[in-house]
Amino acid sequence: MVNILGLCTRHQLLFFFLYFIESRGAWQDGVKPKVIPKLQEHKVDRFPGNQTHSDHFKLLERDGNYLLVGAKNIVYNISLATLQEKKRLEWYSSDDDIHVCRVKGKSEEECQNYIRVLALKSNNVLFVCGTNAYKPVCRDYNQTENEYKYGEEQTGEGLCPYDPNHNSTAVFAGPVNHRTDGDLYVATVAQFSGADPLIYRKPLRTEQFNLKHLNSPNFVNSLHHEDHVYFFFRETAVEYINCGKTVYSRVARVCTKDKGGPHKYRNRWTSFLKARLNCSVSGEFPFYFNEIQSTSNIIEGIYRGKKSEIIYGVFTTPVNSISGSAVCAFSIKQILETFDGSFKWQEDINSNWLSFPNSKVPEPRPGQCVNDSRTLPEMTLNFIKDHTLMDKAVPSFWNQPLILHTGFGYRYTYITVDPQIETVDGNRYDVLFIGTDNGKVIKVVNAASASGDGKVVPVIIEEVTVFQNGAPITSLLVYNSAFQFKLVVVSQDEIYSIPLHDCERYASTCSDCVGLQDPYCAWDESRQRCTNAGPRGWIRGKFVQNVSHGWDEKCPETELGTETTPTTTSAPTCPPCPLECACPSTEGARNVTEHEPERPPSSDSSPGGSYSHHQASRHDGDKEADVVSTVDSQLGDNGALAGASTGYMDMYSAETLAIAVTTSIVTSLVVGFISGYIFSRRCRNEEVDSPYDDGHYLDQRHRGGPLCQEPTHLNHGEGFLSPGTNNKPINLVLNVPPKNGNGKNANSSADNKPAQKVKKIYL
Ligand SMILES: *[C@@H]1O[C@H](CO)[C@@H](O)[C@H](O)[C@H]1NC(C)=O
Ligand SMILES: *[C@@H]1O[C@H](CO)[C@@H](O)[C@H](O)[C@H]1NC(C)=O
Ligand SMILES: *[C@@H]1O[C@H](CO)[C@@H](O)[C@H](O)[C@H]1NC(C)=O
Ligand SMILES: *[C@@H]1O[C@H](CO)[C@@H](O)[C@H](O)[C@H]1NC(C)=O
Ligand SMILES: *[C@@H]1O[C@H](CO)[C@@H](O)[C@H](O)[C@H]1NC(C)=O
Ligand SMILES: *[C@@H]1O[C@H](CO)[C@@H](O)[C@H](O)[C@H]1NC(C)=O
Ligand SMILES: *[C@@H]1O[C@H](CO)[C@@H](O)[C@H](O)[C@H]1NC(C)=O
Ligand SMILES: *[C@@H]1O[C@H](CO)[C@@H](O)[C@H](O)[C@H]1NC(C)=O
């Protein structure tokens, strides 16, 4: 009963969420980009890869000024400066392997060799693993002048997934700066069926088929830091034992010194621990962004006045719920503290997960980095086998997301950070680049990050559509050398590089330049230009910049604008947008603001289905932006600002709009409340009546979902809902369509997800 109530609360939360989307008050969703530029062809480099076939690019490794990109049957070595191909390593699967793969029912597209793991062992030796037509293989390649030659070949089982779409990650980590004696740490899935997820370093692995270790994980990143290798992933939460299933984000770690335990533990980690990552908006009911999608590298900087090491991560809500994305940061220190805290445990299969009493934890404490793990006592090893999960979640660094986006337009998919960019006054800001699933890149800073009081004031400097076809961004990389400032943007089939900053283009007056709040840009008083520091750095006194407030008295025109308050109030007045922005107060502006809320909710639940719709609406938006920017150029350089101060017409229309929006907020509040109320009543009634009906009822509402199925497969709820679900897995297994593999379709795997999960468990 408690369980069902839990579920109801969850659904009521959705209504709260809807309400928040409308009100935009407590949530920072009103943050609008300052510039929405069009890509300028001559500033973009492109690497098309194979023009006729899908490449399935995966960024693998940066080698100085070169980038190694794993693709289908090929590793490209491309120059970062120009995106020209310099070299390629071709590796096709043998006809025999392809034949066997085809016989096993995989498509021609799947029966190719997708390069998914690569490590530079030394300057000239590459360790490369490919899916090799569902029979993973790894090779050592020697680089010679013009080509790559391979010697040794070994099985890739446990090192490389069978399925090219599986979200695996690998990192080559050695004892301090010794690349050649390093080891490959991999988080992937073994077995043809993909039933055996693991974190592996020869010969150590996580427990096989133990859902407490890994439960249908999607790995997003792995990082080496001091004595540990960290893995970031999302997985089905074992500790969530209410009816239904939930995915949580995790950080796991293993010790690089781990040598395995004695006897039966000799090929098991003795140091594997994991904890939940808490990316949420606090409140009476915290709202969670549960599904991690990407993390940055570890960044060392000054935050809240103190030196800290942090990582940034992108988190989203589940695919079949209200669409929301957020960026949260976590400090290494707090991650370590969580791992030193108490363990979570479940007394027996039907009881709740609780904190394990610290006094009962065996000595030496399980999961630590020890000199020789082979001497650890059996007690400690038995304990760690069943208690890998920490009780507390790692809190996010600012106790709230740094930036979030709700609404149906897009989700965040990837993040990369250009760390600690120095500004004129000597403060340092992390510049975040966030990729979306519709081809956009968003550039964000926390304007308050230098203030030392731990506040978050997100500023979206720029939002640029990189892939006009709306291809999801799968990877980003900052290339910031002395003379090159580029952001490499990757989708499945294309790689672009765009300027990291373009100060002069976005701002031609002092106030626009300072108003951008871009740490890369400052107003050069002597040359009267908005410019970047360049390789020599800023000269104090000569440049005007104010990232924290976007205002400086040396640029008097700014007083007309409202730059000082980046978070807009509920009145839909135009936020500060110096140039080429789609929201000056003309006819077009209303069109833009009115269109957004109209996007149908359906676009959220099935990204595949609504694809064309997205494209259509984006297209409209583009057209309007076009119109607006021509208006802008007629108005002159600070067109938007001029527009904002031109007379009563606009103010009048803003008022009208304000009334309209207020009405809609009130309406949605009332509707949300009533539906929430009805829903909770409904749940409560059915709780009393019959849990079966309840499950059924909820099930219908979740297209994605065998909501109440997980308990059976976790063996938690024996008897609970099991009669109704017994035949479902069979259905689902039968439903697995032979994936049609004309690879360009990135969504097919997402659609198959529930089916695959069941397959994993039952076959
Ligand atoms: C593109 O891929 C196809 C199939 O993998 C291959 O036959 C063709 O040679 C490739 N083209 C280029 C230019 O690499
Ligand atoms: C990539 O190509 C460049 C230029 O040919 C070469 O200097 C570099 O070593 C290559 N890197 C790898 C890892 O193959
Ligand atoms: C690769 O290079 C190493 C050392 O440079 C050498 O020992 C090895 O035989 C080479 N392998 C091949 C296949 O050329
Ligand atoms: C996550 O963080 C929020 C806000 O900081 C807090 O209210 C909530 O209790 C935390 N949740 C967990 C599971 O620790
Ligand atoms: C572990 O080894 C290091 C160096 O080999 C040594 O300094 C340290 O005292 C050892 N620690 C333990 C607990 O034995
Ligand atoms: C930015 O402006 C704010 C408010 O005017 C001021 O307090 C702050 O010192 C300024 N920072 C710089 C670097 O000029
Ligand atoms: C919306 O924009 C179109 C063309 O961009 C224009 O014809 C139409 O009048 C606008 N509608 C409103 C309500 O402003
Ligand atoms: C891998 O991650 C992406 C992005 O979150 C997701 O769409 C896809 O379904 C995942 N792949 C698998 C096989 O689960």
Side-chain angles (χ1 to χ4, degrees):
M1 293 195 182
V2 177
N3 297 346
I4 292 159
L5 268 182
L7 239 181
C8 292
T9 327
R10 211 151 68 97
H11 283 261
Q12 279 165 349
L13 270 181
L14 290 187
F15 291 111
F16 277 107
F17 192 41
L18 273 175
Y19 161 67
F20 275 124
I21 290 174
E22 286 290 338
S23 75
R24 299 191 166 187
W27 292 45
Q28 23 152 297
D29 207 32
V31 188
K32 291 276 189 307
K34 303 210 161 200
V35 227
I36 307 180
K38 283 230 146 53
L39 278 189
Q40 288 180 313
E41 287 299 313
H42 64 279
K43 287 183 180 161
V44 179
D45 291 321
R46 291 191 166 79
F47 178 69
N50 188 324
Q51 312 252 14
T52 52
H53 291 72
S54 175
D55 283 290
H56 293 266
F57 286 136
K58 176 157 178 164
L59 276 195
L60 293 174
E61 181 96 21
R62 181 172 165 183
D63 178 22
N65 294 325
Y66 301 92
L67 189 62
L68 299 170
V69 181
K72 192 169 69 178
N73 305 317
I74 290 180
V75 178
Y76 295 101
N77 176 345
I78 59 181
S79 150
L80 275 166
T82 60
L83 289 199
Q84 299 285 320
E85 178 178 336
K86 290 294 171 194
K87 268 179 148 177
R88 66 164 66 176
L89 182 164
E90 293 198 357
W91 174 6
Y92 289 88
S93 301
S94 70
D95 289 344
D96 284 350
D97 288 343
I98 291 175
H99 179 72
V100 171
C101 176
R102 299 284 282 142
V103 167
K104 286 183 182 166
K106 298 290 171 187
S107 69
E108 191 177 334
E109 189 68 14
E110 289 170 303
C111 296
Q112 306 276 333
N113 189 22
Y114 295 90
I115 312 298
R116 286 296 169 261
V117 174
L118 182 145
L120 270 173
K121 281 189 167 174
S122 70
N123 281 344
N124 287 321
V125 182
L126 296 173
F127 180 76
V128 185
C129 305
T131 59
N132 187 37
Y134 272 75
K135 181 182 166 234
V137 171
C138 297
R139 286 176 179 174
D140 271 323
Y141 274 88
N142 275 12
Q143 190 186 180
T144 63
E145 193 139 340
N146 309 311
E147 48 172 4
Y148 297 91
K149 278 194 182 146
Y150 71 94
E152 247 178 277
E153 185 170 297
Q154 67 180 85
T155 166
E157 175 93 25
L159 296 174
C160 180
Y162 287 70
D163 175 357
N165 292 316
H166 188 267
N167 293 303
S168 303
T169 150
V171 62
F172 201 67
V176 198
N177 298 332
H178 257 272
R179 275 215 133 141
T180 33
D181 337 322
D183 292 301
L184 190 67
Y185 292 76
V186 189
T188 186
V189 65
Q191 297 192 352
F192 186 83
S193 62
D196 180 18
L198 78 170
I199 289 177
Y200 180 61
R201 183 205 75 200
K202 230 181 229 175
L204 308 181
R205 58 162 297 164
T206 45
E207 289 288 329
Q208 194 173 25
F209 307 128
N210 183 337
L211 300 185
K212 288 178 181 171
H213 279 223
L214 295 169
N215 188 359
S216 310
N218 268 278
F219 299 101
V220 302
N221 204 1
S222 46
L223 298 166
H224 181 204
H225 181 259
E226 292 175 357
D227 278 347
H228 293 107
V229 172
Y230 294 89
F231 295 91
F232 295 86
F233 58 101
R234 55 183 194 268
E235 65 170 351
T236 306
V238 275
E239 72 266 38
Y240 185 85
I241 57 167
N242 294 331
C243 161
K245 91 172 192 188
T246 289
V247 168
Y248 283 168
S249 296
R250 309 276 198 208
V251 54
R253 73 162 192 204
V254 295
C255 175
T256 51
K257 291 193 285 189
D258 198 334
K259 298 186 174 106
H263 318 299
K264 65 174 175 166
Y265 293 107
R266 75 188 175 290
N267 52 12
R268 293 287 184 269
W269 294 109
T270 65
S271 57
F272 174 76
L273 294 177
K274 66 179 182 181
R276 182 179 177 192
L277 293 170
N278 179 355
C279 181
S280 59
V281 175
S282 55
E284 200 178 341
F285 302 99
F287 187 87
Y288 289 97
F289 296 87
N290 269 334
E291 305 201 357
I292 193 169
Q293 303 293 335
S294 162
T295 80
S296 69
N297 288 330
I298 295 170
I299 286 153
E300 200 180 319
I302 311 277
Y303 307 95
R304 298 192 212 141
K306 275 196 305 218
K307 203 170 198 179
S308 313
E309 289 169 304
I310 63 170
I311 66 130
Y312 292 89
V314 160
F315 295 76
T316 64
T317 54
V319 172
N320 57 357
S321 86
I322 306 286
S323 167
S325 318
V327 172
C328 283
F330 298 89
S331 79
I332 299 293
K333 186 161 160 270
Q334 283 177 316
I335 292 176
L336 290 175
E337 279 166 11
T338 308
F339 284 128
D340 285 339
S342 44
F343 294 90
K344 221 185 197 47
W345 78 310
Q346 189 188 29
E347 188 160 18
D348 66 63
I349 221 137
N350 291 311
S351 47
N352 271 328
W353 284 77
L354 301 167
S355 171
F356 189 85
N358 267 331
S359 55
K360 289 197 200 154
V361 173
E363 278 293 327
R365 184 182 160 92
Q368 299 308 105
C369 242
V370 294
N371 274 353
D372 191 351
S373 58
R374 286 168 300 193
T375 59
L376 286 173
E378 193 101 340
M379 275 276 277
T380 296
L381 295 170
N382 277 334
F383 184 87
I384 199 67
K385 185 176 162 211
D386 291 323
H387 304 78
T388 54
L389 181 61
M390 306 316 297
D391 184 47
K392 292 263 178 337
V394 185
S396 66
F397 189 62
W398 280 280
N399 281 312
Q400 60 173 311
L402 214 70
I403 176 100
L404 54 83
H405 172 84
T406 51
F408 304 111
Y410 55 80
R411 284 163 193 270
Y412 299 161
T413 54
Y414 198 89
I415 186 165
T416 193
V417 178
D418 199 4
Q420 299 290 295
I421 299 302
E422 189 168 5
T423 52
V424 175
D425 59 357
N427 284 324
R428 288 168 184 275
Y429 292 86
D430 290 337
V431 183
L432 318 185
F433 295 92
I434 304 164
T436 71
D437 63 356
N438 66 350
K440 286 186 207 290
V441 172
I442 301 164
K443 182 180 181 182
V444 177
V445 292
N446 174 13
S449 81
S451 69
D453 58 5
K455 279 217 197 91
V456 168
V457 179
V459 172
I460 303 179
I461 299 164
E462 193 182 331
E463 175 186 301
V464 55
T465 301
V466 179
F467 298 115
Q468 295 298 332
N469 61 0
I473 285 166
T474 57
S475 210
L476 294 166
L477 181 125
V478 172
Y479 179 52
N480 195 353
S481 70
F483 298 100
Q484 300 269 359
F485 324 99
K486 294 193 171 174
L487 180 71
V488 178
V489 187
V490 184
S491 74
Q492 284 252 350
D493 297 310
E494 280 176 300
I495 302 179
Y496 284 17
S497 79
I498 62 170
L500 263 193
H501 44 73
D502 209 345
C503 310
E504 208 163 347
R505 177 176 169 218
Y506 301 151
S508 52
T509 66
C510 180
S511 58
D512 284 353
C513 187
V514 174
L516 268 183
Q517 294 180 271
D518 188 333
Y520 295 120
C521 301
W523 183 253
D524 183 338
E525 285 191 295
S526 55
R527 283 153 71 215
Q528 292 287 303
R529 271 170 58 184
C530 192
T531 175
N532 179 247
R536 275 170 298 132
W538 303 108
I539 303 160
R540 267 182 226 191
K542 211 171 151 251
F543 293 92
V544 188
Q545 187 184 40
N546 190 324
V547 176
S548 56
H549 292 76
W551 183 87
D552 194 288
E553 55 194 6
K554 289 182 205 139
C555 313
E557 320 93 291
T558 323
E559 281 158 32
L560 294 173
T562 48
E563 263 92 338
T564 39
T565 48
T567 30
T568 51
T569 51
S570 58
T573 48
C574 183
C577 41
L579 244 188
E580 293 180 83
C581 173
C583 55
S585 40
T586 55
E587 289 285 283
R590 244 170 300 151
N591 263 341
V592 172
T593 34
E594 275 168 13
H595 268 230
E596 280 206 37
E598 270 174 23
R599 281 186 192 153
S602 68
S603 62
D604 142 67
S605 47
S606 62
S610 59
Y611 204 59
S612 56
H613 178 84
H614 276 195
Q615 276 181 322
S617 56
R618 188 170 43 254
H619 207 73
D620 287 345
D622 282 348
K623 266 191 211 142
E624 283 151 17
D626 259 343
V627 173
V628 170
S629 56
T630 40
V631 172
D632 270 354
S633 47
Q634 283 162 7
L635 284 173
D637 286 332
N638 52 353
L641 295 175
S645 56
T646 43
Y648 290 94
M649 278 294 287
D650 305 322
M651 289 167 79
Y652 174 73
S653 54
E655 252 178 77
T656 321
L657 254 183
I659 292 167
V661 168
T662 315
T663 319
S664 86
I665 289 172
V666 171
T667 319
S668 68
L669 221 174
V670 170
V671 171
F673 178 77
I674 291 173
S675 10
Y677 181 71
I678 292 172
F679 199 91
S680 66
R681 282 289 293 265
R682 185 101 187 228
C683 280
R684 221 166 281 152
N685 288 342
E686 279 164 21
E687 173 206 0
V688 177
D689 289 337
S690 149
Y692 300 109
D693 286 343
D694 185 54
H696 201 68
Y697 172 66
L698 290 167
D699 215 305
Q700 285 176 336
R701 257 146 196 77
H702 275 259
R703 286 199 262 152
L707 239 180
C708 296
Q709 208 171 302
E710 210 63 14
T712 19
H713 108 221
L714 294 177
N715 300 327
H716 286 153
E718 268 184 304
F720 183 59
L721 294 183
S722 42
T725 54
N726 261 350
N727 51 356
K728 267 187 199 162
I730 295 163
N731 274 340
L732 280 160
V733 170
L734 289 178
N735 276 343
V736 176
K739 253 191 269 165
N740 85 37
N742 43 24
K744 297 263 177 191
N745 181 6
N747 295 314
S748 65
S749 56
D751 298 343
N752 287 340
K753 221 170 151 187
Q756 276 184 343
K757 244 169 226 145
V758 173
K759 211 166 79 180
K760 275 179 191 172
I761 304 307
Y762 291 97
L763 291 189

